[in-house]
Amino acid sequence: MTWVWNQFFVLEEYTGDEPLYVGKLHSDVDKGDGQVRYVLYGEGAASVFAADEKTGDIHAIKRLDREQQAYYTLRAQARDRSTDLPVEPESQFVIKVQDINDNEPKFLGGPYIARVPERSPVGMSVVTAVATDADDPTYGNSARLIYSILQGQPYFSVEPKTGVIRTALPDMDREVRDRYLLVVQAKDMIGQTGGLSGTTSVTVMLTDVNDNPPRFPRRSYQFSVPESVLVSAVVAKIRALDMDVGPNAEMDYRILHGDGLGTFSVLTDPNTQEGLVTVHKTLDFEKKSSYMLQVEASNRYVDARFLSKGPFNDVAAVRLLVENVDEPPLFSSRLSRMAVSEAAAVGTHVGSVLAKDPDATNIPVRYAIDRKTDADHYFNIDSQSGVITTARPLDREGVALHNVTVFATESLDPSQVGKAVVLVSVTDVNDNAPGFAAEYEAFVCEDTEPGQVIQTLSAADRDEPDNGHHFLFALPPEISGNLNFSLRDNKDNTASILTRRGGFLQRDQPVYVLPVVVSDGSSPPLSSTNTLSIVVCTCDGAGNRHACTRVSTPLSVVGLNTAAAAAVLACVLALLGVALTVAVRRQRREPPMMDDERGIRENIVHYDSEGGGEEDTEAFDVLALRHLNKSKQTRQKPERIPPEPVARTPESGTDRKKLFRDFIQRRLQEAELDLTVPPYDSLRTYAFEGSGSAAESLSSLNSMESLSSFESEQNYEFLKEWGPRFRKLADLYGHHDGGGLSS
């Protein structure tokens, strides 16, 4: 197939009534008899372009826009009309849309905002305004643009081909005019007649440079200042004006000279750029009533390009008139420090204060103590002389420093009051005895060796000697020969407790009490006796505690004399006898335990040592304990052990202790041999007083008669203190753990 044209062209934006002819398809096989039919395929076929089947003429049936699609690729084929078979191979061709100038230039980045420093030289670039044209830049002049300024001359200009806007006048002053509005035009067809154009606006703002110095609007200023003004207070404000803005308008003020150079100072308010004149020293009208200052204002940042215009500073005179006011009395010192011993007697002189009326009248003053600062009235002050004395005994350990406020009031005008602070330090005297620095929990292992350190002690003293503490440790003379423990003073305010023997046993004595005398070594020395409890523990091979006896009070005291120990032991046996007698009587009166009572799992019995027998017993039902023994005897029927006679008056404390232990051991042996004993823990408390005991009752009504073995009131006080603790120890010995005695 041959074409009339290899490439077809069609003009865009055709607005005629008839289809626009594009070109013609023709095949050499076509004889003109209508046997060849032309068919069109591809982009826009049948929708944009149509081909005549007989003639092959191609027409545009739709208005074209090159900016939407610049060309179309189509395919054509010639077919036999009768058989519809191709008579030519399929061929491809292009229809190109030809451009016309139908698009105006557009500034896509506009409107523009630009900044340029004031005083910029001519030709400085400001901003580039760029326009675009949608027409074909390769065909004709439809997309060739020319720029011009329609508004903004003669201050600015634009390069015709690039759109770069530049300054056109020198020394544009921001203080005169700070912004300009430009209108820039872009026209296609190289600006020829008939071309299309577009415009945009450009706002140019002049930025500030430091081209103006500060200036005071007045050459002199005058202010009045009361003499009572506080130091650092602002007494005057002056301001120099600067036509610049921002950092270029920031300025510093300083006093160049004048008689108030050391009394006043000036600084700059960062928000208002004002000069703030402040008082640097206290004013006194009676000494000086006026001051004259020369104050300079200068730019903080200077542009060297504009120094030729003149100095960038200005000077003004400031006169300050001091006004007289009625001032309150002034103390010679607003803060006074005094010292007095805590041993000082009432009325002792501590110190004195002095205040005067600063005015020329010099009115006498009266002194007083602000009782809000001395609520406990430790001090008095003489209203006329200002002498301070003690009003009550002092205690450094209670209050070491007294902060007292003293008033001075004009005698003729009570409203004029001055005040000062007096700090009174109370010096120390040795009036407190030292003691242990902590509550120590000492222990000793059962298998410990002699000479082993079991506790290191330190001391504390509320006093504070000038040379520091020097504590001395020792054992009281009455127990210095005990065979259990010894004390070694380490000469460094500590002491070590050492064992003097080995073989400590919990069952013999679970806890020891060791009195220790601590002295402060002062002159005269003060001392106190402190008690150290030492618990006997079972330990592992490394000496770590494994099990310790938990008792609140030891069985015996290290160094306790024989008479006191015998009295304590007698008290213990008496208490145990009362408890055992009550238990036996209740056992005789109680009925046998029923089967459903065997479900009881815990029995906790408490005997009141000062009650009237059974009425003072607070406990759960103790039937389980008694009936378990009877049931056990019924089932096993062991040989009954007759009760051993109990001596009425044991000859010594050792005999009484053995009697009690034998009784407990028998009861424990019964429990261990009885297979019916429940596999749970129970607390069994046995108390008895023996037959014919002198302590028939421990009632508070005849306590002194029941304890006839104690011949003095001192022994009775000892019993009251230690009796309850030994009862707890007795309870401990009665704890049965299903197989032995637990300590």
Side-chain angles (χ1 to χ4, degrees), residues 5 15 55 80-81 226 368-369 487 502 519 575 676 726:
W5 306 105
T15 58
T55 63
D80 185 277
R81 186 178 295 277
I369 291 178
L487 181 144
S519 174
L575 295 175
T676 63
F726 279 98

Side-chain angles (χ1 to χ4, degrees), residues 644 657-667:
E644 295 183 3
K657 184 175 180 181
K658 182 177 184 303
L659 178 65
F660 170 68
R661 286 186 175 177
D662 292 341
F663 174 77
I664 296 298
Q665 291 295 338
R666 288 198 303 272
R667 297 297 291 173

Side-chain angles (χ1 to χ4, degrees), residues 605-663:
V605 182
H606 169 71
Y607 295 100
D608 189 337
S609 60
E610 290 188 6
E614 294 177 357
E615 294 181 357
D616 287 338
T617 300
E618 298 176 3
F620 292 98
D621 192 357
V622 298
L623 290 176
L625 288 177
R626 292 197 294 270
H627 292 175
L628 281 176
N629 293 336
K630 293 181 179 180
S631 300
K632 171 186 63 179
Q633 296 170 3
T634 301
R635 286 190 298 271
Q636 296 183 355
K637 297 182 179 180
E639 181 180 356
R640 180 176 181 86
I641 302 175
E644 295 183 3
V646 181
R648 296 178 58 87
T649 55
E651 296 180 358
S652 65
T654 303
D655 295 334
R656 293 193 183 102
K657 184 175 180 181
K658 182 177 184 303
L659 178 65
F660 170 68
R661 286 186 175 177
D662 292 341
F663 174 77

Side-chain angles (χ1 to χ4, degrees), residues 408-441:
T409 306
E410 289 185 8
S411 58
L412 299 181
D413 186 0
S415 64
Q416 297 297 327
V417 180
K419 63 180 180 179
V421 175
V422 178
L423 299 179
V424 181
S425 300
V426 182
T427 59
D428 186 45
V429 297
N430 189 28
D431 58 348
N432 290 277
F436 281 169
E439 295 184 3
Y440 295 102
E441 296 182 357

